């Protein structure tokens, strides 16, 4: 089973989603998107694939 990442409780899932949606910079937006997916209990690999980042 893949390892799961844990996030500190600095932002809620909804706050991470808003940061992802509102960010104008493509790279920064992708980072927030990845963190949002991980906050929803996705594995890092699943989240990376969803946002188009190579994970190996």
């Amino acid at each position: 089973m893949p390892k799961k990442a844990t996030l500190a409780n600095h932002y809620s899932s909804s706050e991470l989603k808003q940061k992802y949606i509102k960010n104008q910079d493509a790279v920064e937006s992708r980072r927030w998107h990845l963190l949002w997916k991980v906050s929803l209990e996705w594995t890092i690999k699943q989240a990376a694939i969803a946002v188009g980042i190579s994970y190996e």
Side-chain angles (χ1 to χ4, degrees):
M1 173 165 271
K3 293 182 181 180
K4 288 204 174 189
T6 57
L7 300 176
N9 292 326
H10 295 289
Y11 296 110
S12 68
S13 289
S14 61
E15 289 172 316
L16 291 170
K17 181 180 180 181
Q18 287 305 310
K19 287 185 174 291
Y20 149 59
I21 291 170
K22 290 182 179 181
N23 203 294
Q24 298 297 313
D25 181 82
V27 174
E28 193 69 18
S29 177
R30 189 175 286 177
R31 290 176 182 156
W32 288 115
H33 193 181
L34 180 79
L35 291 172
W36 172 50
K37 294 295 187 186
V38 171
S39 77
L40 297 174
E41 306 277 326
W42 290 38
T43 64
I44 294 174
K45 185 174 184 177
Q46 291 169 328
I49 291 168
V51 301
I53 298 172
S54 176
Y55 179 85
E56 295 187 33

